[in-house]
Amino acid sequence: FALDHGLSGLEFAAGIPGTLGGAVVMNAGTASGNMAGIIESIRILEPAGAGFKDISVKDLDFGYRNLNLRRGSVIVSADIVLGHSEPETIKEIFDRNLKLKNSTQPVSHASAGCFFKNPAHGMPAGELIEKSGLKGMKINDAMVSEIHANFIVNTGRAECSDVLALMDHIRKTVFEKYHINLEPEVRMKGE
């Protein structure tokens, strides 16, 4: 829709799966942009049926792969601000971003996307995991991707317990080697 109407600002999201609400609450993004950069306001359903509330971007607390909202809030809509550009230019940037994603991430395997947040300083999570010798490490059918080490992929019939056990092993190994506690980017049900 944005491409067809010459609306620029979402090119960074090429290939990022999910819903608008999920993208907003996780501040989905890449090195070239994120949701915080295009949000004008959101509407939430407050916890325990307290009603709807509109929140302006100036009152939103976005962080790296996070939007701090009261627990139990549900994002029901978001107003985003996009600029104008030529559709050809938008398509070129979108295609370039999608090509990069497809060549550097295991898009042909089931996964939950990047599993760990990048630490604030130093090496990114994928590099820490790779340099810890964990690429290809498996617990049953859950495996550290050989394409990008910050992805845990399902190579067959992995269960949640396999993914969580592999997550724990990755965190322990990286901590032992680098004294860095990797924080999951993926949200677990019940958190």
Side-chain angles (χ1 to χ4, degrees):
F1 180 89
L3 172 65
D4 291 343
H5 292 84
L7 299 172
S8 178
L10 280 169
E11 296 86 344
F12 73 86
I16 297 176
T19 63
L20 177 62
V24 173
V25 79
M26 290 300 295
N27 192 18
T30 65
S32 61
N34 58 38
M35 294 303 293
I38 60 172
I39 294 292
E40 183 173 81
S41 64
I42 64 172
R43 173 171 273 200
I44 64 168
L45 177 60
E46 295 189 291
F52 293 97
K53 180 179 181 182
D54 294 319
I55 308 172
S56 171
V57 67
K58 67 179 178 48
D59 297 319
L60 292 173
D61 182 17
F62 279 105
Y64 175 66
R65 301 298 173 259
N66 186 53
L67 169 60
N68 290 317
L69 286 177
R70 188 169 157 210
R71 187 175 180 89
S73 298
V74 176
I75 297 172
V76 294
S77 68
D79 291 327
I80 60 176
V81 177
L82 302 175
H84 291 283
S85 187
E86 293 298 320
E88 300 81 25
T89 303
I90 296 169
K91 182 169 179 18
E92 181 182 313
I93 296 168
F94 180 88
D95 288 347
R96 184 174 58 238
N97 289 344
L98 189 58
K99 183 178 180 182
L100 177 65
K101 182 181 191 73
N102 288 339
S103 67
T104 60
Q105 297 179 5
V107 296
S108 63
H109 281 92
S111 78
C114 281
F115 206 89
F116 296 100
K117 294 180 180 181
N118 288 325
H121 305 288
M123 288 184 277
E127 190 174 349
L128 289 165
I129 297 165
E130 182 174 348
K131 288 187 173 184
S132 294
L134 296 172
K135 259 190 173 180
M137 164 77 187
K138 286 180 84 172
I139 294 182
N140 296 321
D141 282 341
M143 181 179 85
V144 176
S145 171
E146 293 177 334
I147 296 170
H148 190 309
N150 197 15
F151 284 74
I152 296 175
V153 296
N154 185 342
T155 62
R157 301 175 69 93
E159 296 185 6
C160 181
S161 59
D162 302 327
V163 173
L164 294 177
L166 186 53
M167 174 192 74
D168 288 341
H169 180 75
I170 293 166
R171 292 180 80 193
K172 180 181 177 197
T173 303
V174 168
F175 187 79
E176 287 172 354
K177 184 164 179 137
Y178 294 103
H179 303 288
I180 294 172
N181 188 17
L182 290 178
E183 181 183 348
E185 181 174 320
V186 174
R187 292 202 178 170
M188 314 303 170
K189 185 175 180 181
E191 279 187 329

